[in-house]
Amino acid sequence: MNKQSPERKGYHHGNLKQALVEATLSLIEEKGPTGFTLAEAARSAGVSAAAPYRHFKGREDLIAEVARQGYVLFAEQMEAAFDRGNPNPMAAFEAVGRAYLSFARDHAGYYIAMFESGVSIAGNYELNMVANRAMAVQTQAAEKLFEHMPANQRPPATMVSYHIWAMSHGVVELFARGEPGRRAPFSPEELLESGVGIYLRGLGLLPK
Amino acid sequence: MNKQSPERKGYHHGNLKQALVEATLSLIEEKGPTGFTLAEAARSAGVSAAAPYRHFKGREDLIAEVARQGYVLFAEQMEAAFDRGNPNPMAAFEAVGRAYLSFARDHAGYYIAMFESGVSIAGNYELNMVANRAMAVQTQAAEKLFEHMPANQRPPATMVSYHIWAMSHGVVELFARGEPGRRAPFSPEELLESGVGIYLRGLGLLPK
DNA sequence: TGTACATCAGTGAACGCGCGTTCACTGATGTAC
DNA sequence: TGTACATCAGTGAACGCGCGTTCACTGATGTAC
């Protein structure tokens, strides 16, 4: 175990801010969003305990930056999956659902910083903006789906996107953590896809 | 602000174990599942920092006890709401959903200890048992609903209960925390009820 | 191209603090007779 | 009913520890001329 970060050059780190973000991601995945100290993050970036203060106001600020980067990446991946509704609204909608799950799985550290760290989104303007951008994709996907449906035969698109978001988040929290399959005999993907399928049938958007 | 617990009698507390559990509940609600120390819990129970060691092995053990009590209460409330399927399966199913949400709302401290504290359920036999008992109610409610449906026209009852659980948990985490209505223009109850309604329609269990 | 200088981004020592945990102790309570 | 004694459930002092944070410092880098 080499505690010293390998890309460290000399007296100056050169890229400490980002190195701290990455150290934090690992620590979050290992020990949870509150299971480590700022000093620990500094140590695992190969730097003294005082160094982080050159880049962040404190622990809270570091985690907020991690969450911010996470939301940016998340928004990109959601937008790419949505692909402005191509090839068709239903396929795009389903792609967004899958993108949600793969983000949560492949970037657990970001996901935890964003949704489980208790970082205050309301109290941070920039974080608020980028979080909204990410979540807006889900609403757009629902709107596309409703394009040819009369408004009085369906719930508001925002409500639909909250339903899907809630189910996605619930699946991640309850079934995508820990050893695979430990808590349920179904995979997270399977659970979310089947759940969303039944839901869409309930909206009259899938046959039978 | 009286830091000393009021029901404290003399040299012996008399009910310290439970007082610590209750102090922990308040602290969890205030500061999150990792936002306080064992010493803090002791202090707010009006007792020296060494006293908790007479009842718990440490912080982890105290939180596990809080979670255990939470699961017991949760199971009771879910079972009462289910009422063995009375007055009819659909009403019972919906009552279970509402019970989930009110438990999360009225007993946030327990809910957080159970689902967000990172307490290891798998590694604690008693906790495992009581958690399973609570979750089994949801599966029973789904089974009752399916009573008169041929098995090949429906998903497994466990899967349905996981879907509902995921959506319930998602609604709690995303929309039932913080100031009411801050994150969504819909109340948690409204969101869960409408979401579950659409889902049940998708199962062919509700008309239209 | 060389040099002087300003600025940046680190160090490491120091401090005060509160926590976890142990320990010998002691006040209160329960019980045998 | 009294008394002796064991046990229970607290105290408070002590310890070592690591954290957060500040500070004067210094090595490295960038830039003006």
Side-chain angles (χ1 to χ4, degrees), chain B residues 11-12 37-40 43 49-50 53-54 59:
Chain B
Y11 190 92
H12 285 71
T37 62
L38 186 54
E40 224 167 329
R43 218 175 298 130
Y53 291 91
R54 297 283 171 206
R59 217 192 93 96

Side-chain angles (χ1 to χ4, degrees), chain A residues 74-207:
Chain A
F74 185 51
E76 281 167 9
Q77 299 199 353
M78 295 285 273
E79 276 163 6
F82 179 47
D83 192 19
R84 281 194 237 81
N86 290 314
N88 61 66
M90 183 57 72
F93 189 88
E94 283 168 352
V96 168
R98 281 193 301 273
Y100 190 103
L101 217 51
S102 12
F103 181 85
R105 154 157 304 171
D106 300 342
H107 304 285
Y110 280 132
Y111 192 90
I112 294 170
M114 292 154 67
F115 294 115
E116 301 171 45
S117 73
V119 66
S120 165
I121 289 173
N124 182 327
Y125 180 77
E126 207 190 341
L127 208 48
N128 211 338
M129 295 307 290
V130 68
N132 285 341
R133 179 183 151 212
M135 298 333 291
V137 180
Q138 290 196 330
T139 309
Q140 289 166 43
E143 273 163 2
K144 270 274 186 222
L145 220 44
F146 283 159
E147 232 168 18
H148 302 299
M149 264 178 102
N152 62 349
Q153 281 178 29
R154 55 170 184 80
T158 50
M159 180 180 259
V160 169
S161 75
Y162 289 148
H163 288 152
I164 300 295
W165 185 16
M167 194 181 280
S168 307
H169 183 68
V171 165
V172 167
E173 295 297 309
L174 297 174
F175 305 111
R177 295 270 190 266
E179 308 88 82
R182 203 202 47 198
R183 210 159 189 174
F186 315 102
S187 73
E189 287 78 8
E190 204 179 343
L191 269 176
L192 185 58
E193 199 183 318
S194 58
V196 170
I198 293 167
Y199 178 88
L200 291 177
R201 220 165 296 149
L203 283 174
L205 288 164
L206 280 178

Side-chain angles (χ1 to χ4, degrees), chain B residues 33-193:
Chain B
T34 52
F36 63 96
T37 62
L38 186 54
E40 224 167 329
R43 218 175 298 130
S44 84
V47 115
S48 78
Y53 291 91
R54 297 283 171 206
H55 300 276
F56 300 102
K57 272 185 289 182
R59 217 192 93 96
E60 181 83 347
D61 193 36
L62 169 57
I63 300 224
E65 170 63 13
V66 173
R68 193 196 60 77
Q69 292 190 14
Y71 274 113
V72 170
L73 182 61
F74 185 51
E76 281 167 9
Q77 298 200 353
M78 296 285 272
E79 276 163 5
F82 179 48
D83 193 18
R84 282 193 235 83
N86 291 313
N88 62 67
M90 182 58 71
F93 189 89
E94 283 168 351
V96 168
R98 282 194 301 274
Y100 190 104
L101 217 52
S102 10
F103 181 85
R105 156 157 303 170
D106 300 342
H107 305 284
Y110 280 131
Y111 193 89
I112 293 170
M114 291 154 66
F115 295 115
E116 300 172 45
S117 73
V119 67
S120 165
I121 288 173
N124 182 327
Y125 179 78
E126 206 190 342
L127 210 47
N128 211 337
M129 295 307 289
V130 68
N132 285 342
R133 178 184 151 211
M135 300 333 289
V137 180
Q138 290 196 328
T139 309
Q140 290 166 41
E143 273 164 2
K144 270 276 187 219
L145 220 44
F146 283 159
E147 233 168 17
H148 302 299
M149 265 178 102
N152 62 348
Q153 282 179 31
R154 55 168 183 84
T158 51
M159 180 180 259
V160 169
S161 75
Y162 289 149
H163 288 153
I164 300 295
W165 186 16
M167 194 179 280
S168 307
H169 183 68
V171 165
V172 167
E173 296 296 308
L174 298 173
F175 306 111
R177 295 271 190 264
E179 308 88 80
R182 201 202 49 200
R183 211 159 190 175
F186 314 103
S187 73
E189 286 78 8
E190 204 180 343
L191 269 175
L192 185 59
E193 198 182 318

Side-chain angles (χ1 to χ4, degrees), chain A residues 11-12 37-40 43 49-50 53-54 59:
Chain A
Y11 190 92
H12 284 71
T37 61
L38 186 53
E40 222 168 329
R43 218 176 299 132
Y53 291 90
R54 298 283 171 208
R59 217 192 93 97

